[in-house]
Amino acid sequence: MTKTSNAMWGGRFAAGPDAIMEAINASIGFDKRLAAQDIAGSRAHAAMLAATGIVSDSDAEAMREGLLTVLSEIEEGRFEFSTALEDIHMNVEARLKEVIGEPAGRLHTGRSRNDQVATDFKLWVRDQLDAAEAGLVALIQALLAQAETGADWVMPGFTHLQTAQPVTWGHHMMAYVEMFGRDLSRVRDARARMNECPLGAAALAGTSFPIDREMTAQALGFDRPAANSLDAVSDRDFALEFLSAASICAMHLSRFAEELVIWSSAQFRFVVLSDRFSTGSSIMPQKKNPDAAELIRAKVGRIFGANVGLMTVMKGLPLAYSKDMQEDKEQVFDAADNLMLALAAMEGMVRDMAPQREALEGAAGAGFSTATDLADWLVRVLGMPFREAHHVTGALVAKAEAKGCDLPELSLAEMQEVHGEITQAVYDVLGVHNSVASRMSYGGTAPAQVRAQIARWKEVLA
């Protein structure tokens, strides 16, 4: 490919941009990632130009075949990108002219780089939404497998990172299924809303050529053409929605990563992470560090930053296109790369991790985790107002704490010192297994409820 000066501005300027202007103006260093989408859009545009009689069938065929040649050169690493040609659009068009000659000059009829880049970027973001959907489905399936294995395994549930009430391992896994399920819904919703084609909006006002925008929209897999040419070239909501959904998803990934860091520590030993997602220490041979989880936790900053960055770029732009919008891509590219990597890493960790049933159960009864069950029993069996039951239970917890034991280890006589009507039946609710089994309200931690939610989600995914 021969490097040429960019003469697309015609006779308006007496001299070309100097090196600084060329450097700040060029986007080929990053927008070359849009090559496949750019060529797909141009091939659809060429076919439409022929179908509407704007160009000849032979010219359109030459363009379409030539574009495939250019694409193969790019995919095989044989394409020489030129900064002087600014962006992916002009690089492709210049090479197409070298390949097929004069017909290449007709490709840009009825369109502008403004609608071209909006179309390319939408196609790319749509691909990322599809990839995010696949990654989320795989992660949810991994969580469902963990939940099914431990649907009746007891573990401590926490508030403020303090032991609160016993729950099941399956219930905890299903909490993340719900979180990532909402992420999946957001991804699908964003994809449906963004699926309108900007191609044919031209620079900002549409075109006088008799183009068929329905044809190009259909060829590129869009539901319909964008309805307003001004909006079509200036809209980046689709990228912002992707970044917003990615930010919430990354936050969920980070919360789970934080739990895995805690759970895999020597102080908790709730899970063992596989060697595939852990590293060692250069000087401490006993260490097994949850580095994949920690890196997932750190990815949030980059993804949040991309969201804020693009929002800031767009916030003050009048209609329609401004060169500021060239700064819309790098941060989206980076956020997408890191989100897909984090999703894949989390799925791998979840599939490989080994929950430690004995450690989970041992911790489930600690910290007076069945105190609420005791209070509920006082209300249900003795007819005590809940506030009084709360007070009685607090006194029993204080007695157990002073004795250095847990609630089930208090004798009946010791309990009756606090409230004389307590009977032997109270011990039926103090065990952690009894506690979780009793939580049969919809969405509760009882194993039967957990299994029902697993079945529901399997049906949803199917």
Side-chain angles (χ1 to χ4, degrees), residues 378-428:
L378 294 171
V379 171
R380 190 172 58 252
V381 175
L382 301 185
M384 195 179 293
F386 183 79
R387 287 301 168 203
E388 183 183 347
H390 188 282
H391 177 77
V392 169
T393 302
L396 288 167
V397 167
K399 181 180 281 286
E401 195 168 34
K403 189 180 176 184
C405 68
D406 205 350
L407 284 171
E409 296 166 322
L410 289 175
S411 68
L412 179 60
E414 288 170 322
M415 289 194 180
Q416 288 176 338
E417 288 174 4
V418 175
H419 196 284
E421 295 180 31
I422 295 175
T423 69
Q424 187 70 32
V426 74
Y427 293 98
D428 292 340

Side-chain angles (χ1 to χ4, degrees), residues 27-35 86-89 329 333:
S27 60
I28 189 60
F30 53 86
D31 71 11
K32 60 187 177 184
R33 289 186 68 163
L34 301 176
E86 291 188 13
D87 57 32
I88 186 62
H89 323 298
K329 296 172 196 67
F333 292 162

Side-chain angles (χ1 to χ4, degrees), residues 167-290:
V167 296
T168 55
W169 172 260
H171 194 54
H172 203 113
M173 293 299 100
M174 291 305 294
Y176 283 104
V177 168
E178 293 294 329
M179 284 190 200
F180 294 120
R182 291 192 295 274
D183 292 324
L184 182 61
S185 174
R186 274 184 283 271
V187 163
R188 288 172 171 170
D189 187 51
R191 192 195 192 284
R193 184 163 30 256
M194 63 90 74
N195 208 32
E196 297 182 342
C197 185
L199 196 58
L204 74 161
T207 178
S208 59
F209 290 97
I211 61 173
D212 184 347
R213 294 191 61 210
E214 293 283 353
M215 179 179 174
T216 48
Q218 184 176 4
L220 294 170
F222 289 104
D223 295 330
R224 65 192 70 85
N228 183 283
S229 60
L230 283 166
D231 177 59
V233 298
S234 60
D235 167 44
R236 292 299 182 269
D237 287 3
F238 60 91
L240 288 166
E241 280 204 66
F242 169 71
L243 290 175
S244 177
S247 295
I248 298 172
C249 180
M251 177 268 292
H252 290 154
L253 288 167
S254 182
R255 293 184 71 180
F256 196 13
E258 171 70 4
E259 295 210 308
L260 294 180
V261 170
I262 293 170
W263 290 352
S264 62
S265 68
Q267 289 71 28
F268 273 71
R269 299 185 187 276
F270 283 4
V271 300
V272 173
L273 300 178
S274 75
D275 292 347
R276 295 200 309 147
F277 294 97
S278 306
T279 64
S281 165
S282 61
I283 64 169
M284 295 172 283
Q286 84 281 10
K287 294 289 293 298
K288 183 177 180 181
N289 300 323

